[in-house]
Amino acid sequence: MHDLKFIRENPDAFDAALARRGAAPMAASIIEMDKRHRETITELQSLQSRRNDVSKQIGQVKGKGGDAAPLMAEVASIKDRMTALEAQEKDIGEDVRGVLLRLPNILHKDVPDGKDESANVEVRKWGTPRRLDFQAKEHADLGANLGLMDFTQAAVMSGARFVVLKGALARLERAIAQFMLDTHTRENGYTEMNVPLLVKPEALYGTGQLPKFEEDLFKTTAGLYLVSTAEVSLTNLVAERIVDGGELPMRVTAFTPCFRSEAGAAGKDTKGMIRNHQFEKVELVSIVAPEDSEAELDRMTGCATGILEKLQLPYRVVALCSGDVGFGSNRTYDLEVWLPGQNTYREISSCSNTGEFQARRMNARFRPVGETKGTRFLHTLNGSGLAVGRTLVAVIENYQEADGSIRVPDVLKPYMGGLEVISKK
């Protein structure tokens, strides 16, 4: 959501910001709609004042035994005009809001320019991909050969882009999630939450999934939506609230199933677990004062990369360019993990600063410490800490052996009852 006052006072800067996203200029049309909206409100207020004055006059005239019919006729006329204006004000207001809800966030000045992911900038790398003296296999083949990953039966019950994990692989996925939660809560200062998976449309408007990405969401017959990420539920913990500045920063995390229709991913990653309709994720959300959000983005990214380092998984950090940054973000770092089966790096987390974009949409504010009047919009950040299914994929591929078995990373062994190798029985 955008500040109308900023658009009125900086139309060229606003259009230039949209242009970085490849979007058409919108300031002039928004300002014109906003002008009509404010003029309608002004006329309504003027008519309300006049109606109050005339109503008082009616009482005075009647009290003196005079003829109040002309005044009563004027009140009736004012009422009719106000009814029409109230409908007009509502329609224009909804039009303005509808336009603003569909416009992406303004990018941070340091976001590199570019049309698509080919212009993303590698920030740093960590770890050296393991040299294998055998032909690396992809996770889907490894899991199927172990008899612990079943896509066929998943398709029977649910269709494409689902998987059934069995035995040690099911436990390994659970172990990964528990390890992530323990690390983030014990070492990184996050508070674990158990949040709703079904949310109202308002919650999705607040975080920016609606209206733009409705086709990627699963909607129930009751009008609720399954969350595509726990970011929605975690960020909405401050919706319609005024937070005491002393509570900041707020850092929360949750492990949840996530649901996406992958409407725009036809033909992409149809094999394996990279892009399923249902997947698990440990999400990180930070809610901070505006002056702290840039440092918080670096901190959050460090928390996510720390998980990869503990798992000894080679990765790289990539700064997304203007054409690849997500709709609600002003700046994003992607974490890409090395997958030997695909011989490439693949995304395993995105850490984003949304600034006040989401807070404006959900009316989430805070009162600075020591102030009794006035509030400011919060800044919100989110990141995967990490995508559990993709982490499982990375572990399977990076810890594979020539015989198709999977070694268990050292940090996960306590969660696996001491199991060191997952092999075919």
Side-chain angles (χ1 to χ4, degrees), residues 78-282:
I78 291 173
K79 183 179 179 181
D80 289 341
R81 176 59 178 162
M82 287 183 67
T83 299
L85 285 174
E86 285 167 352
Q88 179 177 307
E89 185 273 331
K90 181 181 178 182
D91 289 343
I92 299 174
E94 288 178 351
D95 288 345
V96 173
R97 178 173 170 79
V99 170
L100 293 177
L101 285 173
R102 286 170 171 80
L103 294 179
N105 201 351
I106 292 176
L107 296 173
H108 189 278
K109 59 182 178 59
D110 292 337
V111 170
D113 288 321
K115 290 185 178 181
D116 54 39
E117 62 183 16
S118 64
N120 292 343
V121 177
E122 183 180 293
V123 177
R124 65 179 184 275
K125 278 184 177 178
W126 184 92
T128 302
R130 175 185 167 206
R131 290 189 176 183
L132 304 178
D133 56 6
F134 56 90
Q135 181 64 45
K137 295 185 176 65
E138 293 191 40
H139 68 280
D141 296 325
L142 288 162
N145 289 339
L146 288 169
L148 302 178
M149 192 177 287
D150 191 341
F151 295 96
T152 301
Q153 202 59 34
V156 170
M157 68 178 86
S158 302
R161 296 189 186 274
F162 289 92
V163 64
V164 173
L165 297 178
K166 304 176 183 180
L169 283 190
R171 184 172 184 178
L172 182 60
E173 184 178 54
R174 174 162 55 89
I176 289 170
Q178 287 182 276
F179 161 68
M180 290 177 183
L181 285 173
D182 285 348
T183 302
H184 292 312
T185 56
R186 295 174 183 175
E187 300 178 18
N188 297 333
Y190 287 86
T191 300
E192 184 177 354
M193 299 284 179
N194 190 316
V195 292
L197 302 181
L198 288 166
V199 295
K200 298 177 182 178
E202 291 82 1
L204 291 155
Y205 275 101
T207 49
Q209 280 77 15
L210 287 178
K212 183 175 175 61
F213 302 107
E214 181 155 20
E215 66 174 6
D216 266 335
L217 301 170
F218 288 105
K219 185 178 182 180
T220 72
T221 54
L224 298 176
Y225 291 83
L226 285 165
V227 295
S228 56
T229 165
E231 168 202 341
V232 177
S233 303
L234 290 172
T235 310
N236 271 275
L237 291 171
V238 293
E240 300 296 338
R241 283 184 58 193
I242 298 176
V243 176
D244 187 313
E247 297 180 47
L248 303 178
M250 297 171 59
R251 298 183 178 114
V252 289
T253 183
F255 167 55
T256 67
C258 304
F259 305 89
R260 295 181 187 174
S261 71
E262 297 292 351
K268 297 180 182 178
D269 297 310
T270 55
K271 179 182 178 181
M273 292 178 59
I274 293 293
R275 201 179 297 274
N276 280 355
H277 290 311
Q278 176 185 319
F279 56 98
E280 284 67 46
K281 189 150 64 85
V282 171

Side-chain angles (χ1 to χ4, degrees), residues 1 7 23 29 38 40 42 48 52 77 93-94 123 126 129 135 156 175 191 230 257-258 287 295 334 357 367 382:
M1 199 73 165
I7 297 173
S29 60
R38 288 185 293 126
T40 302
T42 299
Q48 179 67 54
N52 292 342
S77 176
E94 288 178 351
V123 177
W126 184 92
Q135 181 64 45
V156 170
T191 300
C258 304
I287 298 157
D334 267 8
F357 184 79
R367 181 168 287 113
N382 62 79

